[in-house]
Amino acid sequence: MSKNEHWIDLRSDTVTQPCEAMRAAMAAAPVGDDVYSDDPTVNRLQEYAADLFGFEAGLFAPSGTQTNLIALMTHCGRGDEYLVGQEAHTYKYEGGGAAVLGSIQPQPIANQPDGSILLSDIEAYIKPDDMHFARTRLLALENTIGGRVLSQEYVAAATALAHAKGLRTHLDGARICNAAVKQGISLRAAAAGFDTVSVCLSKGLGAPAGSVLLGPKAFIEQGKRWRKMLGGGMRQAGVIAAPALYALEHNVQRLAEDHENAARLSRGLAEIEQLAVTTPQTNIFYVNMPEAACAPLRQTLEREGIRASIGPHTRLVTHLNVTAADVERTILTFKAFFKDWRA
Ligand SMILES: *Cc1c(COP(=O)(O)O)cnc(C)c1O
């Protein structure tokens, strides 16, 4: 990179830098040993998050992979099964942890183009009580999923169906705040219907690390045992809980800017004839491009200080360190490249 000291990083919303106020909150955080539940900042974060999303209790853990796994291992035992989308992070992108570490069988089900799972599929995949089958215990959904929002109506119907069939419900709400802001509903409304929700604080909310698992008090108490076993019992974790608390207090409503920037970026790129661009609902969208363009485009972007996971099916993500000016510069760089590029 030559001209800019600031990288425009469109690979993920996990690449954000903690702002000065977050760093100040980290420095000032009162701390204690969280394995003894002694860390006042972790306790405050857990209580604040539980109240914000409408749950009794919360559990702070180092990652969303771990909060999802804790939830699955608390909902399901050995020989149980959970229903989950084929594209879901818990199923596809978490190393098979539920099966490997939890002895929990996943029953993956096709996601529809809008990210939902058909209610008729959910119903059809619930196994009867028969010794040949794993015991179907849980429906796990994800919102947003690949940047797509599951509507409040769909979530209400799917979770009601699961409950009527005796299942429990978990939401991988890594980006639940994006889903709520997009729909103009409260975080409580977005979490309604789920017995437990995992919320990532290190995605668009901009905290350096951590996720929080929310649920009933007794469930969270059990979950705490799994967290310890999985190596997620931290000591003076207030130093990372403080920026997470700051993120929940300050960075939820501003996600609308990321959605607006993603929309602007997608509209600009859609004007390039060699590209096929999806319309973002939130901060994530996809661009299909000719394979032969990928390597030279990657070089051009690198030279211009733009990082993106360029491939034939490229995911682009906006976040709080991507400005409207960054979006304009990215569009211009793409346009200049494709103006000259021939297969
Ligand atoms: C990032 C992410 C997770 C897991 O979070 P990590 O903190 O990276 O372990 C879970 N679900 C979804 C949808 C995610 O995007």
Side-chain angles (χ1 to χ4, degrees), residues 57-79:
L59 186 66
F60 185 51
S63 71
T65 299
Q66 189 170 100
T67 44
N68 278 329
L69 183 56
I70 292 168
L72 291 169
M73 291 177 75
T74 308
H75 282 297
C76 302
R78 188 179 188 200

Side-chain angles (χ1 to χ4, degrees), residues 63-65 68 89 94 142 172 174-175 200 202-203 211:
S63 71
T65 299
N68 278 329
H89 201 280
E94 295 178 11
E142 181 175 319
D172 177 355
R175 297 188 180 82
C200 280
S202 65
K203 302 283 169 77
S211 282

Side-chain angles (χ1 to χ4, degrees), residues 189-261:
F194 293 101
D195 298 305
T196 56
V197 175
S198 160
V199 180
C200 280
L201 304 156
S202 65
K203 302 283 169 77
L205 294 180
S211 282
V212 65
L213 176 62
L214 306 169
K217 205 165 186 305
F219 183 97
I220 293 299
E221 277 309 311
Q222 270 179 283
K224 210 165 169 182
R225 295 183 73 90
W226 291 123
R227 184 184 70 172
K228 190 77 185 81
M229 197 192 81
L230 294 170
M234 297 183 284
R235 304 302 181 178
Q236 285 68 37
V239 290
I240 56 171
L245 189 59
Y246 180 94
L248 277 178
E249 286 172 339
H250 296 91
N251 289 349
V252 175
Q253 291 310 319
R254 66 148 306 286
L255 291 170
E257 287 174 45
D258 300 342
H259 302 168
E260 180 49 42
N261 282 332

